[in-house]
Amino acid sequence: MKYIFFSIGAFLISTSSMAQLQVIISGGFSGPYQQMLPQFEKMTGITVKTLSGASQGTGPKTIKAQLESGATVDVVILSREGLAELVALGRIIPGSDVDLALAPLGAAVPLGASRPDISTVAAFKQALLNANSIVVPGSTSGIYLTKELFPKLGITKQISVKITERGSQATSLLAAREAAIAIQPSSELVNVTGIDFIGRLPEEIQLLQIFAIAITQGSTQVESAKKLIQFLTSPEASVPIQNSGMDLIKR
């Protein structure tokens, strides 16, 4: 068997046998992942098939539901809240999970629309009250917003909220001007065509989601999965992570 070594990173390519890795990922970390994936495949010779699903929520498109329906994957990338559910179900190899990045909640409006002030809790509350329609994803962030934050602000009965299964569906509604404002992880709002990211929520009401990666029980590609984890947590990942509206994990 012949091997080729590369000077960037501790990655190894086998020229006689190329592995394929199956990954399922939620929207929060998709930005940096998609930016880095081509380089990972080129450097390692590992081909990656990527599925997508929500970190939490209901319906057949959540990561948990897809795994329970028989989807075969080696690696999951999702919020810590969603990962905890998979760990409880025995779907994750113990000790294989690693934090990747932090995703703060942010807000966006349709491109060209007026940009409301959300710099304080009072201003953010008023922006929601002024909006004729608010859209949020039904995953981790949407659960926090509809079950905790909106009731805490006392505005649940005064606002109109649309809940979509995925964050990408929320931004599509926003871009089509079928909602006045979207609230979800900043990483799902920056660099999205047709919308204008207006900033992060105030610190006092912020939800900082940790997005993590882990290897699934029964994976036949554990070594390849470990290489993906190593790559996504390497110093080279810092720029794509920050360019996607996320914060770095202090290691």
Side-chain angles (χ1 to χ4, degrees):
M1 182 180 294
K2 296 181 179 179
Y3 293 94
I4 301 172
F5 292 89
F6 286 81
S7 59
I8 303 177
F11 297 99
L12 184 65
I13 294 181
S14 167
T15 58
S16 63
S17 177
M18 298 299 182
Q20 184 177 69
L21 201 58
Q22 306 270 102
V23 175
I24 188 166
I25 184 172
S26 66
F29 195 74
S30 288
Y33 172 82
Q34 294 296 342
Q35 291 178 50
M36 292 188 285
L37 187 60
Q39 185 182 5
F40 172 77
E41 291 182 312
K42 181 178 180 180
M43 290 174 62
T44 63
I46 299 169
T47 59
V48 180
K49 179 180 179 181
T50 305
L51 305 174
S52 68
S55 291
Q56 289 185 288
T58 59
K61 295 301 183 181
T62 66
I63 290 176
K64 182 175 74 172
Q66 292 185 60
L67 293 179
E68 291 179 334
S69 296
T72 302
V73 300
D74 303 293
V75 172
V76 294
I77 302 175
L78 70 169
S79 72
R80 268 287 172 187
E81 292 85 350
L83 181 58
E85 295 178 0
L86 301 184
V87 170
L89 292 171
R91 295 281 185 176
I92 302 300
I93 294 177
S96 68
D97 56 303
V98 180
D99 292 339
L100 294 172
L102 292 164
L105 286 181
V109 296
L111 191 64
S114 61
R115 306 174 91 244
D117 178 15
I118 61 167
S119 60
T120 66
V121 174
F124 174 71
K125 178 179 177 178
Q126 191 59 52
L128 297 185
L129 291 171
N130 292 342
N132 58 21
S133 180
I134 301 159
V135 63
V136 303
S139 191
T140 307
S141 58
I143 293 170
Y144 164 73
L145 292 166
T146 58
K147 303 297 184 183
E148 295 185 41
L149 182 56
F150 296 161
K152 179 181 178 181
L153 295 176
I155 59 173
T156 300
K157 296 181 180 180
Q158 299 170 264
I159 57 176
S160 174
V161 180
K162 298 178 181 179
I163 301 174
T164 62
E165 192 171 9
R166 303 296 310 279
S168 57
Q169 294 168 330
T171 53
S172 293
L173 287 178
L174 190 67
R177 296 181 175 269
E178 295 179 28
I181 189 169
I183 309 164
Q184 55 199 84
S186 295
S187 55
E188 297 178 3
L189 298 173
V190 301
N191 307 320
V192 176
T193 302
I195 71 173
D196 183 11
F197 175 63
I198 58 176
R200 301 181 177 197
L201 270 59
E203 185 177 344
E204 303 96 308
I205 54 173
Q206 183 60 256
L207 173 69
L208 276 175
Q209 289 183 65
I210 298 173
F211 281 82
I213 186 169
I215 305 172
T216 60
Q217 286 282 13
S219 170
T220 60
Q221 300 293 331
V222 172
E223 292 307 311
S224 294
K226 288 180 179 179
K227 289 181 180 181
L228 179 62
I229 293 172
Q230 180 185 0
F231 184 74
L232 294 179
T233 55
S234 68
E236 288 84 358
S238 61
V239 172
I241 285 171
Q242 292 176 305
N243 286 346
S244 298
M246 307 186 86
D247 295 335
L248 300 176
I249 295 287
K250 293 182 180 180
R251 303 189 186 280

